[in-house]
Amino acid sequence: MTEEHSVTIFDTTLRDGEQAPGISLDVKEKLEIAEQLARLGVDVVEAGFPVTSQGDFDAVREIATSVGTQAGAPVIAALARCHPDDVVRAADSLKPADRRRIHVFLSTSEIHRNAMLRGASEDQIIEQAVDGVRRALEFTDDVEFSPQDATRTDVGFLMRIVDAVVEAGATTVNIPDTVGYAIPHDFGALIADVVAQVGAGVAVSVHCHNDLGLAVANSLEAVRNGASQVEVAVNGLGERAGNCSLEEVVMALATRSDLLRRPTRLNTPEIARTSRLVSTLTGYPVQFNKAVVGRNAFAHESGIHQHGILQDRLTYEIMRAEDIGAVGAQIVLGKHSGKHAFAQQLHIMGYELASEEVGRAFTRFKAMADRKTEITDADLEAIVADEVYAPEQEAFELLSLQVSGGTATAPTATVRVRRVEDDTIVDEAAIGDGMVDAVGGAIHRAVGIDGRLVSFNVAAVTPGIDALGDVTVQLSVDGQQFTGRGVSTDIVEASARAFLNALNKSVRLRRPVGAVAEPTP
């Protein structure tokens, strides 16, 4: 298969994926994900929506500088409405990148035009779209246009605006199923018509949401009908039910190459690592039965299945776990392991850490090794996420935790927290319905921030009675949701770390009044 027939993988984990409730990545976390996406080999990284906040601008700028200038780097893209200020802001954020794309969008469906664009006429929409494309072309020759809510847009009008933006110079036309409304058969036919309409020289892309659970199916049908780019997010993250899942569409194209005959350029053994990193930093766990990257994706419990697998793995597996980097020899570290072996294992796992970062992670590793017999790669990933990826200067630091009580007495938690800004120590206690409830109450009192618990999830990082507990919480603070994560062999301690992590994020990342929060493709 020649290179020009490959499917372009446009990753929007850092833009549309981050719009999932409770995900608030800082610049360092976004950069780490972008670097891993580059190792994975995605063709385009949509790094953010720069006009929405200074933080988003800074993240795009840092990714453009650090990732976008590497040899073989992906194209770095930024989102912008068809508005002059948006386009200029996106262009400024992308300046350092060797290859950059401005992705402009505008609503086109009747319901969006009436509800969001004050009843703008079709001619007004076309004029604004053309202006947006032309303005973007002043800064780069790689411009993508998306007619938002395309699958609920009148087809005749959709074709008119596609013609207009192509004539204006758009190099990629993206057809977003913004609300997950499409059905594969009809969506495939629409994409075939768009491909025929634009002709050679213009890429046709699709961006499918998963409201009906059809994002991957719709994307594959689009590829079968001539789409040359698929927009995806790691683990299917995104608004509402999420986006087309990167790992699922890529492995479907690889596994069914006999039918689809459209390869990607991805380094698929990096898929599992990418999935784990995104899950760790966003605080969104991967469901056990998630296709391709779930814990059970290559597990077999049925006796019949186990018998077949022992004879030949092809009896019940259509792809190899090794193809996504899900298995392999692991070095198991313990309390007698030294710092050199620890650092070497982190290097093998793909972590390039500064000396002081290795030191912080090693200190946490040694403390954990006293409580856990063997520490695996999954444990190390959790340690790195908890220690290294946490911002160096948080507002609050947990110094100690004590809990007491049980079935006969009310559970009580006492915490000692350091307020970093003025280096004061605060001791607080609370009684709760259970140990975790008491810890949450004590943490809230100590930091002086009211947060409503939206969700609480606990999972084991690895099997075994001494497994690390991985606690993820979502707290609502002043109407915004923040995800916090904590790991420990003690679930109560992990919960305390998760509560504090979320509250620290609320201090750092609360959106300023007036920030853009408009729905996007």
Side-chain angles (χ1 to χ4, degrees), residues 51-55 477-480 482 506-518:
V51 80
T52 58
S53 69
Q54 184 63 41
V477 179
D478 293 339
Q480 293 184 53
F482 298 93
S506 78
V507 174
R508 287 187 286 114
L509 302 172
R510 255 182 279 189
R511 186 171 55 241
V513 175
V516 174
E518 180 174 318

Side-chain angles (χ1 to χ4, degrees), residues 447-519:
V447 303
I449 298 175
D450 290 328
R452 180 176 61 86
L453 182 62
V454 177
S455 69
F456 177 91
N457 182 75
V458 60
V461 173
T462 51
I465 194 66
D466 61 350
L468 282 183
D470 186 343
V471 173
T472 304
V473 301
Q474 280 192 1
L475 299 181
S476 177
V477 179
D478 293 339
Q480 293 184 53
Q481 290 187 20
F482 298 93
T483 299
R485 182 175 179 273
V487 295
S488 173
T489 53
D490 185 316
I491 296 301
V492 179
E493 179 187 336
S495 301
R497 290 178 177 275
F499 278 112
L500 198 60
N501 181 234
L503 292 171
N504 272 319
K505 285 184 178 180
S506 78
V507 174
R508 287 187 286 114
L509 302 172
R510 255 182 279 189
R511 186 171 55 241
V513 175
V516 174
E518 180 174 318

Side-chain angles (χ1 to χ4, degrees), residues 26-27 30-31 47 54-64:
D26 61 24
V27 173
K30 286 188 174 185
L31 179 60
Q54 184 63 41
D56 229 40
F57 177 91
D58 292 342
V60 176
R61 184 72 173 225
E62 183 63 31
I63 290 168

Side-chain angles (χ1 to χ4, degrees), residues 415-434:
V415 299
R416 172 166 289 185
V417 171
R418 183 171 75 95
R419 294 183 179 178
V420 175
E421 184 177 18
D422 55 9
D423 199 31
T424 58
I425 306 299
V426 179
D427 293 310
E428 281 290 353
I431 297 172
D433 294 336

